[in-house]
Amino acid sequence: MRRWLHDTAGGLPATFWYLWAGLLINRAGAFAMLFLSLYLTVARGASESLAGTVVGAYGLGGAAGVLLGGVLADRWGRRATLLAAHLVTTALMVALAFSRHLLLIAVLSALVGVAHSMPSPAFVAAIVDVVPEERRSRAFNLQFWAFNLGMAVASLLAGVLAEASFLALFLVDAGATLIAALVIAAKVPETLPDTRRARRAGQTDQAGRTDQAGRVRRPGLHTALTDRVFLAFVGLTFVLAVLTMQTSTIMPLAMRADGLRPSAYGAVVALGGVLIVVGQLFVPRLIDRHRKARVLAVSTALLAAGFAALAVADDLWVYLAAAVVWTVGQMLAAPPNAQINADLAPPELRARYQSVFYLAFPAASFVAPTLGGVSLQYLGERHWLIVGALGLLAAGCHLLAGPPRERRVAALRRTLATRREPALATDR
């Protein structure tokens, strides 16, 4: 057991563990947006389609947040971006707790989406900064584990709190976010690499071009936005996110239509979190010998099967059984998804690439509830069959997109290896 723990978590730097702790604390208190659709329909009297639109505003704000977070993390710094985002989120959640008008709630939800999404590229870029390449798969696996451990705790508590007080959901969320900010402020140093020496060496790769005067013209966000191989991967991640977002946007409405209480929804989400907490640390040994594209294809197919099963779900046990299937898919997808994202990013544009990658999640947060609310209202249980078909299509696309991704990663590694040689000569 001791050897397994060392193989799984050993050798990771202290900064990673403080980032991990901040993420865990934040997620353990992230109640509010998980129950936003129920809050709007139960406490504010909104229709299902209107609730979906307001929750979609949160996702729309998140789309701007990840791009802003990526640019700031590369220019301003990882630590400063994390602190600013957490503190702003704390203030916005308190304001949302005491808001009563739907228009104001929609505006605040969009702003919370901006602030909630800003830390994502900074978190991952900081992990890549401090963790050696050979240990990043373990680090990303532990990151996903912490995220879901926090979600499991949040879901169990939130299901009870939602029946007692929606106000408490928002205030506890704000408090947890503030604690996470304090951990980062006290223990996480700035990890942004110093690329000035590379610029003086006159590097001419994806991250910068030198003109005749020797000045470096560095591409910005548009470099990631025009990288076709990377964007194909982001598109498939978007589909994966749309599937995953069903649990926090559309499934609560479906369970309410089936006569199930908020505590039942909390139990379904908590089950997924418990499964991940118990089994996620074993995933790297299970998947490391397989090609990443095949792992992602299998994981996406499992997600599709789990959500398609909700077409026949009326009782809690069916929801719980389906949750087991899609949770296994999530567990398998997390490490290769994060590793591919890190492998495709040039070091000088690491946070910008992360921001474009994480754009898939707020975009899914907008699309899933906005279209899903209408789909559930007018198509009923057939909505879940459409979700399943979308997942199976994405699984096939992963198999087709795998070889070009692998060729791109190999080429980028060769380029980075040639860049290190003149840098080392300059140091000598």
Side-chain angles (χ1 to χ4, degrees), residues 240-265:
L240 180 70
V242 168
L243 268 62
T244 304
M245 290 289 177
Q246 301 300 309
T247 59
S248 60
T249 56
I250 305 305
M251 191 179 71
L253 302 177
M255 294 184 72
R256 183 183 177 219
D258 288 332
L260 298 173
R261 296 171 64 84
S263 56
Y265 168 65

Side-chain angles (χ1 to χ4, degrees), residues 84-99:
H86 280 74
L87 293 175
V88 170
T89 298
T90 300
L92 289 172
M93 293 304 296
V94 172
L96 194 55
F98 295 100
S99 299

Side-chain angles (χ1 to χ4, degrees), residues 201-256:
Q203 305 305 324
T204 56
D205 61 3
Q206 297 181 56
R209 304 288 181 184
T210 53
D211 59 19
Q212 294 180 351
R215 293 172 298 188
V216 176
R217 302 192 308 272
R218 289 206 310 160
L221 193 61
H222 70 275
T223 305
L225 292 172
T226 55
D227 187 333
R228 294 182 181 179
V229 173
F230 177 68
L231 289 180
F233 172 63
V234 173
L236 291 173
T237 302
F238 167 75
V239 176
L240 180 70
V242 168
L243 268 62
T244 304
M245 290 289 177
Q246 301 300 309
T247 59
S248 60
T249 56
I250 305 305
M251 191 179 71
L253 302 177
M255 294 184 72
R256 183 183 177 219

Side-chain angles (χ1 to χ4, degrees), residues 18-19 21-23 25-26 79-91 119 123 173-188:
Y18 289 122
L19 288 166
L23 176 64
I25 294 168
N26 194 5
R79 182 177 184 273
T81 301
L82 289 171
L83 286 175
H86 280 74
L87 293 175
V88 170
T89 298
T90 300
F123 260 123
D173 192 319
T177 304
L178 180 59
I179 294 172
L182 294 176
V183 171
I184 294 168
K187 295 296 185 179
V188 176

